[in-house]
Amino acid sequence: MRDIKNLQAARVAPILVPLLKAANHADLATTLEGWDHKDAASRREPILYQELYRALARSTFEDELGPALTTDMLGSWYFWQERFDTLLLDEDSPWFDDVRTPERETLQDVVAVAASAATDALAKYEAGSVWGDVHRVRFVSPLRRSGFGSDWLGGGDYPMDGSGETLMRARYGFSEPYDVAFFASFMMVADLAESDHLVTALPGGVAARVLNDHYDDQIPGWHAGDQHRTPMTRSAAQAAAQSTLILAPGE
């Protein structure tokens, strides 16, 4: 239910490692080599990889498209990411040539530029910063999404595992790193041999009323990876009931 293995990084990082070494960025290469490709909130490697990947995409397209159009395109991950990952397998693709120079650049040159940009970007983080410090999920109320009172009406701010490339989705906006823009909300495991219950994890609660005890009581458990047995039949629900609400007509 909470698989955070970044399969895209597992494919892309091995391509980048020798190119980083050749570009005199052995420190970045060594970090990627020692990474298990899991986007864990407690690890620093995901920050490095995401900074490098974003810089690599921008360096590839910006000379042809210009800054504004590149930013607009990269903001729609589904439009370019899969094609770009395939492009990385072709070192001599014309997309890697910088049309602003007379030379013919290759992927090696783009990696060198991107590595320098990523290194500069990493300098803004504290030495001990990890993925969960920058990759956050914030639960807000539609009644007050920001500003005074939003924290009280919302459900809190948490470090988040995963990314847009993990089974446990936690996508961020390309131009607004790295707060979570959307995530795998409801998680469920169904045992086909048992019809009475499902195993679930729900970020929130089971009541939409702000002052209700069950408005946000499942968030800490969901964040910790806890699972709940959720009754799915009348008999199972009645057996698990802690109270009964009776709706009676008025006089």
Side-chain angles (χ1 to χ4, degrees):
M1 291 174 68
R2 299 181 68 84
D3 190 346
I4 57 173
K5 181 70 175 286
N6 188 329
L7 296 180
Q8 183 229 38
R11 296 192 306 270
V12 172
I15 298 173
L16 301 181
V17 164
L19 299 175
L20 288 169
K21 291 180 178 178
N24 295 319
H25 285 279
D27 53 335
L28 302 184
T30 300
T31 301
L32 289 183
E33 277 186 307
W35 182 32
D36 60 5
H37 305 122
K38 290 185 177 180
D39 287 334
S42 60
R43 300 290 294 271
R44 184 171 175 81
E45 295 94 334
I47 304 180
L48 163 62
Y49 177 76
Q50 296 293 343
E51 287 286 356
L52 182 60
Y53 186 82
R54 290 173 57 247
L56 190 60
R58 183 170 290 282
S59 298
T60 298
F61 298 117
E62 196 164 75
D63 58 303
E64 284 92 358
L65 304 180
L69 186 55
T70 298
T71 297
D72 189 43
M73 182 189 78
L74 295 179
S76 300
W77 292 91
Y78 295 119
F79 185 73
W80 62 273
Q81 188 175 23
E82 184 176 355
R83 175 65 185 131
F84 180 63
D85 291 349
T86 303
L87 193 66
L88 293 174
L89 299 174
D90 181 7
E91 261 191 72
D92 294 317
S93 169
W95 278 104
F96 298 130
D97 177 40
D98 190 337
V99 298
R100 298 167 295 190
T101 70
E103 295 80 20
R104 171 63 185 265
E105 286 81 12
T106 65
L107 177 59
Q108 173 68 76
D109 300 295
V110 177
V111 167
V113 173
S116 295
T119 300
D120 291 341
L122 286 168
K124 68 186 177 185
Y125 302 115
E126 295 182 5
S129 294
V130 294
W131 186 228
D133 292 331
V134 298
H135 191 240
R136 315 282 301 184
V137 60
R138 184 166 181 258
F139 295 92
V140 300
S141 168
L143 299 176
R144 185 70 172 171
R145 293 184 175 274
S146 61
F148 178 77
S150 60
D151 292 338
W152 182 71
L153 292 174
D157 184 322
Y158 295 84
M160 186 73 172
D161 288 319
S163 67
E165 292 73 48
T166 58
L167 184 61
M168 194 187 82
R169 300 279 277 170
R171 171 77 77 190
Y172 65 85
F174 186 93
S175 299
E176 299 175 346
Y178 287 103
D179 284 341
V180 178
F182 69 84
F183 58 92
S185 55
F186 182 65
M187 303 180 197
M188 180 186 78
V189 175
D191 183 348
L192 300 183
E194 181 183 4
S195 60
D196 285 346
H197 294 85
L198 297 174
V199 177
T200 65
L202 177 69
V206 293
R209 291 168 295 182
V210 175
L211 298 180
N212 189 280
D213 290 341
H214 301 298
Y215 175 64
D216 58 6
D217 61 341
Q218 289 193 35
I219 293 178
W222 170 85
H223 182 258
D226 296 343
Q227 300 170 6
H228 304 274
R229 280 173 55 81
T230 303
M232 296 301 294
T233 61
R234 177 185 289 271
S235 59
Q238 289 175 337
Q242 296 181 10
S243 62
T244 301
L245 174 65
I246 300 176
L247 301 178
E251 296 181 0

